[in-house]
Amino acid sequence: MLRLPVQPMVARPAAELPRGGRWAYEAKLDGARGISVVAGGRARLQSRQLRPLTDYFPEVVAALEETFADVALDGELVVCGPDARLDFGALTRRIAGARRGDIGQVSYVIFDALSAGGTDLTGYPYSLRRAVLEQLLDGAPRPLALVPMTLDGNAARVWLTEHLDAGVEGVVAKRLDGPYDPHRKSWSKVRGRRSAEAVVGGVLGPITAPVALVLGRRDEAGRLRVVGRTSTIPRPQRSELGALLRPARGWHPWPSLLAPSRFGDAGPVEYTRVEPDVVVELTIDSAVDVLRGRPAWRHPARLVRIRADLRASDVPHLS
């Protein structure tokens, strides 16, 4: 019998889905990892970081206790918002102490069976664990669900391009003959990405050769809001940007220091404000947070090119 805490198996980032061989492809949903153990009539939940989550998701715990007697499962806790899209921000508010009715419907979307009926399944191949999981979840009540899986690589690539707005963050590829081994990174995770434009409102590093850009889009009132930052800019593009960027003169819509929540820093972020008239094209993933009621890109965007053909007013508004 497995007991918490359980060290989870994690996936290594990859640029492309693996081809050839015997692979299964699972939709990676925009949520929080949750490992559950049901034993002795009680269910408990833990996070990927081994933190207890049991008290935050009573509806999931109740469904697990109603359905199972002795299992250990791995999956993703997600929240479906009123627009039918997954809402990661709502999930974090629940963990921060929001009342159940305040955040939408929570689901526990399960993708692996680590034990069942007293049998440790972690050494068995994924194909067998998936078959056991499908049997365990047959007829299971909400909020329990089975993660979508396909053996068709082309179908998995469609998830990466056509389902990002619904909350599919990417695809995880798993070998059908692979065990569940936390010490091996044999799973591969590919994030779904798309093209986007943004206005450059600030830079990290010198204006003449910026190391990264602070990005903005306008809200419904026309005010420029911070939506994210780029990853480190390749050196050849830094001088090209430096030739176009100008220090901000007079009033600027952003404060002199940015809140650490924007970039995950421990303290306020120092940067240099620039005139918000340069537009860039980016590659972004589907992960979006809501900060102070406005969407923001959770992960750094990759700079593709400068869009000299676009004005700041041509950039789409926040949505």
Side-chain angles (χ1 to χ4, degrees):
M1 178 188 300
L2 294 179
R3 298 181 181 276
L4 295 184
V6 173
Q7 190 68 40
M9 189 168 177
V10 297
R12 56 180 174 81
E16 299 288 342
L17 292 175
R19 299 172 181 268
R22 302 186 66 212
W23 292 92
Y25 305 96
E26 295 177 352
K28 171 64 177 73
L29 304 180
D30 191 14
R33 189 78 172 268
I35 294 180
S36 60
V37 170
V38 184
R42 287 191 57 202
R44 294 193 297 152
L45 281 167
Q46 74 163 53
S47 72
R48 173 177 168 174
Q49 294 78 21
L50 312 186
R51 293 174 51 195
L53 295 177
T54 306
D55 293 342
Y56 299 108
F57 299 98
E59 65 272 63
V60 172
V61 170
L64 288 168
E65 293 174 348
E66 173 189 339
T67 308
F68 304 117
D70 182 2
V71 296
L73 306 169
D74 196 354
E76 201 85 11
L77 294 155
V78 299
V79 170
C80 188
D83 56 0
R85 295 192 294 184
L86 298 185
D87 187 344
F88 183 81
L91 192 73
T92 59
R93 292 196 297 276
R94 166 66 73 87
I95 296 173
R99 296 189 303 273
R100 262 185 295 170
D102 292 342
I103 68 162
Q105 179 181 330
V106 174
S107 294
Y108 183 33
V109 186
I110 302 165
F111 53 71
D112 219 318
L114 310 188
S115 73
T119 300
D120 185 342
L121 301 175
T122 56
Y124 288 88
Y126 170 88
S127 56
L128 185 142
R129 300 198 312 274
R130 177 74 187 195
V132 170
L133 186 61
E134 290 175 354
Q135 291 184 353
L136 288 172
L137 292 176
D138 184 24
R142 290 184 179 181
L144 308 181
L146 180 67
V147 76
M149 185 273 283
T150 181
L151 302 180
D152 184 343
N154 291 327
R157 291 178 185 88
V158 171
W159 288 339
L160 291 172
T161 58
E162 298 184 14
H163 295 270
L164 301 182
D165 288 337
V168 174
E169 191 180 71
V171 171
V172 177
K174 304 177 179 180
R175 285 195 62 88
L176 289 169
D177 58 358
Y180 188 99
D181 185 352
H183 302 292
R184 298 170 55 189
K185 289 190 176 181
S186 57
W187 296 350
S188 296
K189 178 172 66 176
V190 177
R191 291 190 180 276
R193 295 190 175 275
R194 56 188 169 190
S195 178
E197 289 81 37
V199 177
V200 181
V203 301
L204 304 180
I207 292 179
T208 54
V211 175
L213 306 177
V214 185
L215 307 166
R217 280 188 168 187
R218 300 191 182 277
D219 61 17
E220 63 282 353
R223 179 165 179 171
L224 191 68
R225 302 288 185 178
V226 177
V227 292
R229 58 160 289 176
T230 66
S231 56
T232 301
I233 299 170
R235 291 188 180 277
Q237 290 179 299
R238 295 182 190 181
S239 57
E240 184 183 4
L241 281 161
L244 297 174
L245 296 172
R246 298 173 296 144
R249 300 189 185 94
W251 183 83
H252 192 282
W254 297 348
S256 58
L257 295 175
L258 293 176
S261 58
R262 291 291 180 186
F263 299 152
D265 288 47
V269 178
E270 295 184 0
Y271 75 115
T272 301
R273 291 174 288 187
V274 300
E275 287 294 313
D277 53 15
V278 173
V279 177
V280 291
E281 180 180 334
L282 311 152
T283 300
I284 62 172
D285 63 33
S286 61
V288 175
D289 290 331
V290 178
L291 301 175
R292 297 183 180 178
R294 299 181 184 88
W297 300 328
R298 188 183 310 156
H299 303 123
R302 183 177 68 84
L303 177 65
V304 176
R305 57 176 174 155
I306 299 168
R307 290 297 303 269
D309 57 320
L310 296 179
R311 297 172 298 180
S313 57
D314 295 326
V315 174
H317 284 207
L318 290 169
S319 61

